[in-house]
Amino acid sequence: MIKTLIIDDEPLAASLVEEYLSEFSQFQIVEVCQDGFKGLKAIQQHQPDLIFLDVQMPKITGFEMLELLDEPPAVIFTTAFDEYAVKAFDSMAIDYLLKPFSKVRFAQAIQKFLIHFQSNEVSTQKEGVNNLAEKSDRLVVRVKNEIKIIPTHQVLYFEAEDDYISIHTATGKYLKKMTMKSLEEALDPLKFTRVHRSFMLNLNEISKIEPYERDTYLVKLRTGAQVPVSKTGYSRLRQVLGL
């Protein structure tokens, strides 16, 4: 049996997926969830082969939910908003169903999944999920068994740490599995600037820029924290600040 999970805050939409899927005997629906938080717990509990995932949901979006998974299962997105189509396929989704979708269109999505599943090629590719280029005003991170939403205006600076990004705020430091490149693409360039290979800072937090060693600088933030600035980063910083 192919373990399947439905995550959608619209009961009618979830019921439609259940109805259509009932005609495919090899699929077993292990749970139906109404939001991303419950979806995360269900994925950890059931380890499904496939999820039908809505995008716009309460608390966290479908894309934000995927970011919190180290190894996301195969995904078929279901949403009423066609502007998410490109982003869905950037995340390596199997397919994208635009509500209201027909039984025929649903069957096409199932066949796409089965082709991949039978050839052992199913993968959402975590890097694909992280490279979703959408300007965001918040970040979602996992802290032990809890999920924390951090508004980007509360971030002092970001620091690259191997495969993770360290998010520094006035109240603490949080880790998120993400590349600096994908983070750079997701943030507003008028608010956040990469000043070093390993550092990106909140422009509103800058207190002072001082020379450091040859061709390098230090940015002092309002909290007293210091962030190194490379030669290239300094040029970028001058440009964005109009210096």
Side-chain angles (χ1 to χ4, degrees), residues 7 13 17 30 42 65 68 86 125 155 167 177 181 190 211 226 239:
I7 307 173
V17 172
V30 293
M65 190 206 77
L68 296 170
V86 173
Q125 294 188 14
V155 177
I167 305 168
K177 195 166 188 179
K181 179 182 177 182
L190 297 179
Q226 299 183 91
Q239 183 178 5

Side-chain angles (χ1 to χ4, degrees), residues 2-206:
I2 298 170
K3 292 191 292 184
T4 308
L5 183 66
I6 301 170
I7 307 173
D8 198 316
D9 67 317
E10 300 177 39
L12 288 177
S15 296
L16 189 64
V17 172
E18 288 187 86
E19 178 187 337
Y20 287 169
L21 197 61
S22 66
E23 298 189 9
F24 298 87
S25 59
Q26 63 269 57
F27 290 83
Q28 174 193 11
I29 298 174
V30 293
E31 192 170 340
V32 178
C33 305
Q34 288 73 49
D35 61 62
F37 286 171
K38 293 177 181 177
L40 279 172
K41 292 180 180 178
I43 289 171
Q44 292 168 347
Q45 178 183 350
H46 300 291
Q47 297 294 305
D49 302 299
L50 171 67
I51 60 174
F52 287 88
L53 180 62
D54 191 11
V55 176
Q56 288 285 59
M57 295 185 292
K59 300 178 182 177
I60 59 174
T61 70
F63 292 121
E64 289 172 334
M65 190 206 77
L66 288 179
E67 289 179 13
L68 296 170
L69 297 169
D70 289 332
E71 296 183 8
V75 180
I76 295 177
F77 282 102
T78 60
T79 180
F81 303 96
D82 59 2
E83 65 264 31
Y84 295 117
V86 173
K87 187 177 177 185
F89 285 112
D90 281 346
S91 70
M92 304 302 291
I94 294 296
D95 207 344
Y96 175 94
L97 295 174
L98 184 62
K99 299 174 183 177
F101 45 85
S102 67
K103 184 181 293 187
V104 172
R105 180 67 185 87
F106 182 87
Q108 290 173 345
I110 290 297
Q111 290 306 317
K112 282 186 180 181
F113 167 77
L114 288 174
I115 290 171
H116 287 273
F117 184 76
Q118 291 164 0
S119 61
N120 296 316
E121 293 179 357
V122 171
S123 173
T124 44
Q125 294 188 14
K126 181 63 177 176
E127 185 61 24
V129 172
N130 280 338
N131 282 334
L132 303 177
E134 178 187 0
K135 299 297 178 272
S136 177
D137 60 359
R138 68 183 196 174
L139 295 164
V140 179
V141 298
R142 184 186 294 278
V143 182
K144 295 182 180 179
N145 294 323
E146 297 182 352
I147 295 169
K148 182 175 180 63
I149 296 174
I150 306 173
T152 54
H153 69 82
Q154 293 181 2
V155 177
L156 304 175
Y157 65 95
F158 299 94
E159 181 180 1
E161 295 188 21
D162 296 323
D163 295 332
Y164 289 82
I165 293 294
S166 181
I167 305 168
H168 295 260
T169 72
T171 57
K173 184 176 93 169
Y174 308 92
L175 285 176
K176 183 176 180 68
K177 195 166 188 179
M178 192 176 195
T179 66
M180 187 65 83
K181 179 182 177 182
S182 59
L183 178 67
E184 197 171 7
E185 292 172 346
L187 296 176
D188 187 341
L190 297 179
K191 296 178 181 177
F192 290 88
T193 297
R194 190 168 180 176
V195 296
H196 186 279
R197 182 177 62 182
S198 300
F199 291 89
M200 184 184 303
L201 57 80
N202 185 341
L203 297 175
N204 290 326
E205 294 297 325
I206 295 176

